Amino acid sequence: MQFSFKILQNISWILLIFLIFFLLSSSAARSSEIHLICGAPKDDLSSAVSTSFVPNFVKVMESIQQQVSSRNWGHSAVIQPLPEVYALAQCHSDLSSLDCKLCFSQGRVKLPRCLPNTAARIFLDGCFLRYDNYNFLHESIDPTYDNVNCSHPTGALTDSSLHTAFKKKVAEVITNVTDRALENGTFATVEGKGGGIPVYALAQCWNSLTYWGCRACLLKAGSQLKQCAPGSQGQALFTGCYMRYSTERFFNTSSGRASRCRTKAVIAIAMAAAAFIVLASFGAFIGYQRVSKRREEQNNIRGLATRSNLNFKYEVLEKSTNFFSDDMKLGQGGAGSVFKGSLPDGRTVAVKRLVYNTRQWVDQFFNEVNLISDIQHKNLVRLLGCSIEGPESLIVYEYVPNRSLDQILFVKNILSWQQRYNIILGTAEGLAYLHGGSGVKIIHRDIKTSNILLDEKLTPKIADFGLARCFATENTHISTGIAGTLGYMAPEYLIRGQLTEKADVYGFGVLVLEIATGKKNSIYSQGSNSILHSVWKHYKAKTLAQAIDPRLSDRNPGKDAENVLQIGLLCTQASASLRPSMTEVVQMLTDSEFEIPSPKQPPFLNASVLSADDSTENSMTIVSLTRTSSIPLNLQEITRLPSNGSQDSFVTASAGWDCASVENSEPR
């Protein structure tokens, strides 16, 4: 039986791959890359803005993708929060909707290669994409980036006696296609078949241009493109338009496109029907396997609770929280709420109430129970038990009375330097334990002040294992969907999806700088408004003492505070290979004889950092911030809301980016 299903699986995949290959190869999608330009921004932005630039870039691309799907072009902008991001995508008007989507998808996969540059443009055979940090929608000509690609004479054109006539014909065709494009609005194709060697031409202005902007671009492009003759073809890649001529037809006509679509549709339907029959059988088998696996996982959890005496009755927990009364509520998160509970034996606990009805939340429940049940450390929140028999799943944790660090540090501001130092050290020891002290390497992925809880003695306890990833000690990294909190995410993880324990080190470094300065790291800040940038400037100026929180009750923490700030800078270096391990950080904090190294890089992103040490072929499958890549960017995980200053330290995702997308009115 197992062997027969293997055969079905192989046949189904062969049919599916062949179907996809047939559709792509026969559609003439014109999605090959012509030219990618990673340009400099119009304004001299600080490199600290680069990391903040990425979420806004993703936002405008999501907006444009929806527009391209409906009308084959689009433009969008994010004005607030800073930095500003403007973007445009335009398919050539002869492309079908499917071909346009394929071309846009290719462009969107390739364009992020320019990040963290805040400006880039890419020309493909059938479309154009651009983003920048200023409003460029009405630009038509830019001598810095406009260029023309010319080929050599081929075929009959190797005969120099034909050159004069061919040049004249190219000039006429380019003039005609320019005139017709302006008459039609933005697009035209022209065929010049007389005189032995045919010439085909296409002209396309971006829809964001005015008539006069389009005219200026086409005239300039046409003038330079004529110089390509007697080359067999030429392409003008301009800021506001695209023009091409060739001795072979390269564009689609409405009648030809319709005929090809009908033929492809008949073949595709027949092949899809055959593939469906095989896949349906295989799918039923896979579905059965998944249901069986889920039941096995649930039984494992029940077994874990029974063997470890972790099982709580749902009725007991429901009563302990006064039936989940709002008066007992400690906080609200994406996966559920956390309530304070009083057990019959007198213990005060925190009860996390999960809505047990989606795969994401079920997986997270299993993840937390399996991970935390085997981990015991004074600086980690302790799991007391769980309940899985009631209408919803519950997890029981120790109650931490002082709630989260962000409420104590940023709201009440009552911590002395010694207390802050102990919190930093305890957090470092907890992370060092996670990274190997428990016998398995666990990466937390979301170290931040709201996930550090404080008990009655202000002992720090790391919480929120819902995002934790566990992998073998011998592995150097894993590639994963991005999840975490902006402002605490390491550059190589945010941009490339590459996850190692050094991602936690980066988040810890931001945490250290926040604790020492008493200031919260702003997600979208730039320049001197960022505490990372500010502390780095003080370090370079040898004035680190000025970065220490002036509101400290013990006014002169001295050299210890400066050492802590230097450790924070070491941990937030843009290159992961330069950051210390958490074990080394603990040694720096506890060994007075240990010489703290000097940071070699500033704690913000620039293009040279990611393109050198940390970007290798083995570290990624693909570098992309699109949903079509092998590194999915889950917008419902990457942005996370604050935990309302409570023990809902196990907060999960909130929906969408917390920013506004502003679309300009269509010029045409």
Side-chain angles (χ1 to χ4, degrees), residues 190-229:
V190 168
E191 302 179 5
K193 296 182 178 180
I197 301 177
V199 178
Y200 303 89
L202 176 149
Q204 173 77 66
C205 283
W206 314 145
N207 291 351
S208 60
L209 293 185
T210 63
Y211 171 84
W212 296 108
C214 178
R215 181 176 184 273
C217 187
L218 292 179
L219 290 176
K220 185 71 172 178
S223 175
Q224 295 188 21
L225 192 60
K226 293 175 184 178
Q227 306 305 314
C228 286

Side-chain angles (χ1 to χ4, degrees), residues 116-425:
N117 288 32
T118 55
R121 62 187 75 186
I122 184 171
F123 288 88
L124 294 94
D125 281 336
C127 61
F128 169 79
L129 288 80
R130 178 183 176 185
Y131 73 84
D132 217 313
N133 66 329
Y134 70 97
N135 189 344
F136 59 84
L137 295 178
H138 297 298
E139 287 185 359
S140 59
I141 297 174
D142 186 345
T144 303
Y145 298 111
D146 296 344
N147 69 87
V148 174
N149 295 337
C150 302
S151 72
H152 297 292
T154 59
L157 288 174
T158 56
D159 184 353
S160 59
S161 64
L162 300 177
H163 288 182
T164 301
F166 183 74
K167 288 181 180 180
K168 182 178 179 181
K169 190 172 185 178
V170 167
E172 291 176 354
V173 169
I174 289 177
T175 300
N176 290 339
V177 79
T178 299
D179 293 340
R180 291 189 186 182
L182 293 174
E183 291 174 4
N184 296 340
T186 60
F187 175 80
T189 58
V190 168
E191 302 179 5
K193 296 182 178 180
I197 301 177
V199 178
Y200 303 89
L202 176 149
Q204 173 77 66
C205 283
W206 314 145
N207 291 351
S208 60
L209 293 185
T210 63
Y211 171 84
W212 296 108
C214 178
R215 181 176 184 273
C217 187
L218 292 179
L219 290 176
K220 185 71 172 178
S223 175
Q224 295 188 21
L225 192 60
K226 293 175 184 178
Q227 306 305 314
C228 286
S232 300
Q233 68 172 332
Q235 295 173 313
L237 313 176
F238 272 51
T239 298
C241 64
Y242 171 85
M243 186 179 290
R244 177 182 176 185
Y245 82 84
S246 177
T247 56
E248 297 180 358
R249 183 196 298 273
F250 60 88
F251 50 78
N252 297 320
T253 61
S254 58
S255 59
R257 187 166 65 242
S259 175
R260 286 193 298 272
C261 287
R262 284 193 297 270
T263 302
K264 288 186 291 182
V266 172
I267 299 175
I269 291 172
M271 295 183 66
F276 175 77
I277 294 174
V278 179
L279 288 174
S281 301
F282 179 65
F285 175 68
I286 292 298
Y288 173 78
Q289 282 189 323
R290 289 181 176 178
V291 170
S292 299
K293 184 178 180 180
R294 177 50 51 85
R295 289 175 179 172
E296 182 181 354
E297 289 174 340
Q298 292 174 341
N299 291 335
N300 288 341
I301 294 296
R302 291 186 176 93
L304 173 67
T306 302
R307 291 192 304 270
S308 305
N309 296 319
L310 296 176
N311 190 35
F312 283 82
K313 290 185 177 181
Y314 180 86
E315 295 77 9
V316 172
L317 296 178
E318 184 181 40
K319 186 175 181 180
S320 72
T321 60
N322 193 19
F323 300 92
F324 303 109
S325 167
D326 286 341
D327 295 337
M328 305 292 285
K329 192 172 185 178
L330 297 174
Q332 175 70 44
S337 305
V338 178
F339 296 82
K340 182 179 180 180
S342 298
L343 298 179
D345 59 9
R347 286 183 296 169
T348 301
V349 296
V351 180
K352 184 177 182 180
R353 183 189 192 189
L354 294 174
V355 180
Y356 198 168
N357 62 354
T358 72
R359 176 61 184 266
Q360 177 186 349
W361 286 347
V362 170
D363 287 346
Q364 184 168 6
F365 178 74
F366 290 149
N367 193 22
E368 290 194 21
V369 171
N370 281 312
L371 280 178
I372 310 177
S373 62
D374 293 329
I375 294 176
Q376 300 292 330
H377 190 273
K378 65 182 178 66
N379 296 118
L380 300 176
V381 171
R382 187 161 58 96
L383 172 70
L384 301 178
C386 63
S387 170
I388 58 175
E389 301 295 341
E392 55 202 349
S393 298
L394 305 174
I395 307 180
V396 185
Y397 300 96
E398 65 173 313
Y399 175 69
V400 183
N402 279 324
R403 299 190 177 184
S404 58
L405 173 60
D406 60 334
Q407 287 297 297
I408 305 296
L409 181 63
F410 301 129
V411 178
K412 297 181 181 180
N413 191 35
I414 57 175
L415 297 174
S416 66
W417 172 252
Q418 189 57 49
Q419 290 170 330
R420 298 187 194 206
Y421 185 86
N422 292 338
I423 291 170
I424 292 171
L425 177 58

Side-chain angles (χ1 to χ4, degrees), residues 3 66 113 145 192 325 370 397 408 477 522 586 601 606 666:
F3 178 74
Q66 297 176 5
R113 293 189 312 207
Y145 298 111
S325 167
N370 281 312
Y397 300 96
I408 305 296
H477 71 272
S522 175
V586 172
Q601 288 180 339
N606 58 61
E666 297 181 13

Side-chain angles (χ1 to χ4, degrees), residues 584-611:
E584 291 171 329
V585 170
V586 172
Q587 186 177 4
M588 295 178 198
L589 292 169
T590 56
D591 187 352
S592 59
E593 301 298 324
F594 189 91
E595 184 177 353
I596 301 175
S598 299
K600 299 179 181 179
Q601 288 180 339
F604 38 75
L605 190 60
N606 58 61
S608 62
V609 171
L610 282 183
S611 62

Side-chain angles (χ1 to χ4, degrees), residues 29 31 59-76 87-93 95-108 111 124 126-130 206-207 663 666:
S31 58
K59 183 69 176 180
V60 296
M61 283 296 135
E62 288 292 322
S63 174
I64 289 178
Q65 181 176 2
Q66 297 176 5
Q67 298 176 53
V68 168
S69 297
S70 61
R71 61 179 185 176
N72 285 17
W73 82 285
H75 64 92
S76 184
L88 167 75
Q90 172 88 52
C91 289
H92 299 169
S93 297
L95 292 191
S96 66
S97 178
L98 174 60
D99 289 344
C100 178
K101 292 175 184 176
L102 291 173
C103 187
F104 174 79
S105 296
Q106 286 296 313
R108 188 177 173 188
L111 201 60
L124 294 94
C127 61
F128 169 79
L129 288 80
R130 178 183 176 185
W206 314 145
N207 291 351
E663 293 187 12
E666 297 181 13

